[in-house]
Amino acid sequence: PKAKESDGDGGDDDDDDEPLFQFMTGIKDDLNARAPLYKDDWGKPRSTFTVVNATVFAFVIQLIPALIFAELMARETENNLAVAEVVLSSAVIGIIYAIFAGQPLVIMGITGPVAILLGTSYRLTQTFNAPYFPFFFWVCIWAGAMHIVSSMIGLVNLVWKVTPFTSQIFEFFIGISFIYLSCRDLIEPLYLGQSDVDPVDRAGQYATLLLGILTCYISYTLHFAETWMLFTRQIRTVLTAYNTLFAVVIVTGLSYLPGVDMDTLDRVV
């Protein structure tokens, strides 16, 4: 049989003939793809170690950002949204998503843009003297409705019509924002250039800066543990997979070490 002729760049026009928006097509395709695997995902695992490892990894990956962004939201919303609300909501939505979406290992949790959005919405309620939680409720309702409509009409197909520049510039913005916020929270409390600051308070802030740098160093070093010649392969894999957890635990333990009482030291001298 005669082969189908293609255009000059080696492609065909099949993709161009397909409509950009198709009602419920993507959802039906996802259901057909996941349905045969749904029972197996919840069945008896082949390896208990794999399940435990994935569970601990998902827990850590969910908990650390929740604590970090919850502290940010607590400042932005004057403790209206804090650690308890973030951890509880992450647990509830994670269970619901795992059951109904058929994807138990998908990590659900708060992100930086969400924390910034909630802080901005709180400032809007302050500007218009409106109660926060009713406003927050309707923000979530409209956001959920927009997500549902977008998934039903296949709005995600627009991703194939644009370059990766849009996602890359957004990821760049998020990364720069987090780096800036982290450096600001570590350096700003040092009161640089101010002479009327309690030396004890300034010393504590320098200690916090040192612990922050140490956390970053340990996490970065353990990230490359799989390339080491030390330890067994299993240990190196664990060190690499949980580098942030080990860094936080080690530095948190160091922060509880007893310090030196400068007043007592002065009296001794």
Side-chain angles (χ1 to χ4, degrees):
K2 184 178 179 180
K4 181 179 179 180
E5 295 182 0
S6 59
D7 53 17
D9 58 358
D12 53 49
D13 297 333
D14 290 346
D15 294 337
D16 296 335
D17 294 339
E18 295 182 359
L20 182 61
F21 302 120
Q22 304 180 32
F23 183 73
M24 296 293 290
T25 300
I27 295 178
K28 294 177 182 178
D29 292 341
D30 289 340
L31 290 176
N32 293 332
R34 293 303 307 170
L37 306 175
Y38 185 84
K39 183 178 179 180
D40 183 67
D41 286 340
W42 296 95
K44 183 178 180 180
R46 298 179 181 178
S47 174
T48 304
F49 174 78
T50 302
V51 175
V52 174
N53 188 40
T55 303
V56 174
F57 180 78
F59 175 77
V60 173
I61 293 301
Q62 293 250 77
L63 183 61
I64 293 179
L67 296 177
I68 295 174
F69 295 127
E71 194 273 336
L72 174 62
M73 286 198 306
R75 293 202 312 262
E76 296 288 337
T77 63
E78 297 182 357
N79 291 318
N80 282 282
L81 294 175
V83 176
E85 290 81 4
V86 172
V87 174
L88 178 61
S89 60
S90 299
V92 173
I93 196 63
I95 294 174
I96 294 176
Y97 188 88
I99 293 175
F100 290 98
Q103 300 181 16
L105 295 181
V106 173
I107 297 176
M108 304 291 293
I110 188 172
T111 59
V114 175
I116 297 174
L117 171 64
L118 296 181
T120 304
S121 64
Y122 181 79
R123 289 191 293 272
L124 285 175
T125 59
Q126 297 296 99
T127 302
F128 295 102
N129 195 24
Y132 176 65
F133 283 107
F135 181 84
F136 177 52
F137 170 80
W138 283 109
V139 168
C140 294
I141 290 296
W142 281 108
M146 292 173 61
H147 279 78
I148 294 174
V149 173
S150 300
S151 63
M152 291 176 64
I153 65 176
L155 192 61
V156 70
N157 291 330
L158 287 175
V159 174
W160 303 106
K161 302 298 181 181
V162 297
T163 66
F165 173 78
T166 53
S167 61
Q168 293 172 355
I169 195 65
F170 180 74
E171 294 169 358
F172 176 77
F173 166 74
I174 296 301
I176 292 297
S177 299
F178 290 162
I179 293 175
Y180 167 75
L181 292 175
S182 300
C183 294
R184 183 198 65 182
D185 292 340
L186 288 174
I187 298 176
E188 188 177 33
L190 296 178
Y191 308 105
L192 298 176
Q194 302 181 21
S195 58
D196 56 343
V197 180
D198 185 3
V200 176
D201 186 25
R202 176 170 289 177
Q205 297 302 335
Y206 272 107
T208 302
L209 175 61
L210 178 61
L211 293 176
I213 296 175
L214 183 61
T215 303
C216 180
Y217 174 77
I218 295 176
S219 179
Y220 181 80
T221 302
L222 293 181
H223 179 74
F224 302 98
E226 286 187 324
T227 63
W228 295 355
M229 301 300 293
L230 301 175
F231 310 118
T232 62
R233 182 177 179 274
Q234 290 78 8
I235 294 178
R236 295 197 301 268
T237 301
V238 170
L239 291 176
T240 302
Y242 302 105
N243 56 342
T244 304
L245 174 63
F246 287 123
V248 171
V249 171
I250 292 173
V251 176
T252 301
L254 291 176
S255 67
Y256 281 95
L257 292 177
V260 178
D261 190 342
M262 298 302 297
D263 295 336
T264 304
L265 182 61
D266 292 339
R267 289 195 297 268
V268 173
V269 176

